[in-house]
Amino acid sequence: MESYKTLEIVRKNPDSSVFHLILNRPAHLNALSLDFFVEFPKALSSLDQNPDVSVIIISGAGKHFCSGIDLSSLSSIKAQSSSGNSDRGRSSELLRRKIKSMQAAITAVELCRKPVIAAIHGACIGGGVDLVTACDIRYCSEDAFFSIKEVDLAIVADLGTLQRLPSIVGYANAMEYSLTARRFSGGEAKELGLVSRVFGSKSDLDNGVTMIAEGIAAKSPLAVTGTKAVLLRSREVSVEQGLDYVATWNSAMLISDDLNEAVSAQMKKRKPRFAKL
C-alpha cells in the first residue's frame, strides 16, 4: 500500500472491509498542507478502486481532527501566484487554478463511490469543516469543537463549506457561523444536524463509528453506492428529476445477484453474503 506524507491508510481488522483514512500530521494539529491536497484525492481514489474496501472512515491522529489549512501553505500559494509574473491577470488566473485544484481534492469525497464517514474529535476548524461537510455521515466526540475560521484570516471560505453547509444546517445558521467564525461545540453541532451523534470520548467515537461502518459494509455494495449517488444527485435537482434519475439507475442496477442474495437471506433468516464491488 502506498505511503503518504500527510495521511495514513489503516485496516484495523484484516477481515473487515472498513478502512481508515487518517489525517497524519499530529505535530501540526493535522493542518492541511499543499501535500495534503495532492495526496488526499489519490488516497481516496485508491480506496474507491480497491474491491476490498466498502466503507471509509476519515479521522485525525493526535489531539485534534484538523486545525484548518496550514498557514505556511497560504504564504506559499501567494508567493507562487505572484512569482516572476508582473501581469495581474495571469497571476490571478494561476491562483484561480490553484484554488480549483484544492477544491477538487475536497470534492473527491463526493466522487468516491464508497460511503465516507467523518469521525471528529478535538478541533475541526476552517479547512477541516470544508472536509467534513463533503463527507456522507459525520460523528464527533464530546470534546469536539468547530469554527468556520476563514473570515478571521481575511479569506472567503472557498473549499466547499459555504456551498455545502447551508443544505446541512440551514441557510441562516450557515450565515451566522460563517460571518462570526465563532466556535461551537459538538453538542451544538448535533442540534444543528452537522453531526448525527456525539460520543462520550475519542475511544467511544472510534468504536461506535467502526460498528456503524461495519453495519453499512455488510449491506449490498450496489445498493449502498447507488443510494449515495442518488442522494448526492437529488441535492441539485427537483423531486421529479430526482425520481426520474433513480428510476433510470434502478432500471440498470436493480436486477442483480445482490437482490437475489438479499431475498434468499431474508427468507432463510441468515446473513447475506455479497460479492465485492
Side-chain angles (χ1 to χ4, degrees):
M1 192 173 292
E2 187 174 349
S3 61
Y4 301 96
K5 295 178 183 178
T6 66
L7 301 163
E8 183 180 12
I9 296 175
V10 176
R11 188 184 196 180
K12 295 183 178 180
N13 181 345
D15 297 321
S16 172
S17 61
V18 174
F19 281 62
H20 298 257
L21 182 54
I22 302 169
L23 307 183
N24 194 29
R25 297 181 75 218
H28 300 275
L29 308 182
N30 297 320
L32 306 180
S33 66
L34 294 182
D35 285 332
F36 166 85
F37 290 100
V38 174
E39 294 182 340
F40 183 69
K42 289 182 179 179
L44 265 183
S45 179
S46 72
L47 292 170
D48 190 20
Q49 299 304 317
N50 185 344
D52 291 330
V53 179
S54 295
V55 181
I56 301 161
I57 298 173
I58 296 180
S59 62
K63 295 182 179 180
H64 298 284
F65 176 78
C66 178
S67 60
I69 194 165
D70 192 320
L71 295 182
S72 64
S73 295
L74 289 179
S75 300
S76 177
I77 292 169
K78 181 180 178 182
Q80 288 175 16
S81 64
S82 57
S83 177
N85 199 334
S86 59
D87 185 336
R88 173 66 182 272
R90 282 171 171 77
S91 296
S92 298
E93 196 278 336
L94 178 62
L95 178 57
R96 183 178 186 274
R97 274 190 284 136
K98 187 64 180 179
I99 294 170
K100 293 288 287 183
S101 174
M102 294 167 71
Q103 289 174 343
I106 301 299
T107 300
V109 174
E110 294 178 342
L111 297 179
C112 177
R113 296 171 303 146
K114 318 291 177 64
V116 181
I117 302 174
I120 306 153
H121 76 290
C124 181
I125 295 172
V129 179
D130 289 312
L131 178 57
V132 302
T133 53
C135 291
D136 303 307
I137 312 174
R138 293 162 292 276
Y139 301 99
C140 73
S141 56
E142 281 187 352
D143 71 340
F145 60 92
F146 303 79
S147 174
I148 303 166
K149 194 68 174 172
E150 283 85 348
V151 71
D152 283 346
L153 298 175
I155 299 171
V156 177
D158 57 4
L159 299 184
T161 291
L162 301 186
Q163 290 69 39
R164 296 183 175 100
L165 191 65
S167 65
I168 299 170
V169 305
Y171 178 86
N173 287 322
M175 183 69 81
E176 184 211 341
Y177 291 112
S178 300
L179 289 178
T180 64
R182 77 172 178 86
R183 173 170 159 169
F184 58 100
S185 67
E188 193 169 350
K190 172 65 171 67
E191 292 178 7
L192 291 166
L194 179 58
V195 299
S196 298
R197 189 182 305 176
V198 180
F199 291 87
S201 66
K202 173 70 162 59
S203 176
D204 291 342
L205 173 70
D206 292 340
N207 293 333
V209 172
T210 297
M211 285 184 61
I212 293 166
E214 292 286 1
I216 296 172
K219 302 182 188 303
S220 158
L222 283 175
V224 169
T225 57
T227 297
K228 172 174 176 171
V230 169
L231 274 170
L232 285 172
R233 178 64 174 164
S234 295
R235 286 187 319 187
E236 304 164 1
V237 299
S238 67
V239 171
E240 181 180 0
Q241 291 169 318
L243 288 169
D244 187 64
Y245 184 79
V246 73
T248 303
W249 185 283
N250 269 355
S251 69
M253 302 291 186
L254 182 62
I255 308 303
S256 68
D257 290 344
D258 284 15
L259 178 61
N260 296 335
E261 173 62 13
V263 171
S264 175
Q266 288 277 344
M267 293 178 66
K268 296 177 181 178
K269 295 181 171 53
R270 61 170 175 81
K271 291 183 179 179
R273 296 181 294 273
F274 300 107
K276 296 176 181 179
L277 186 62

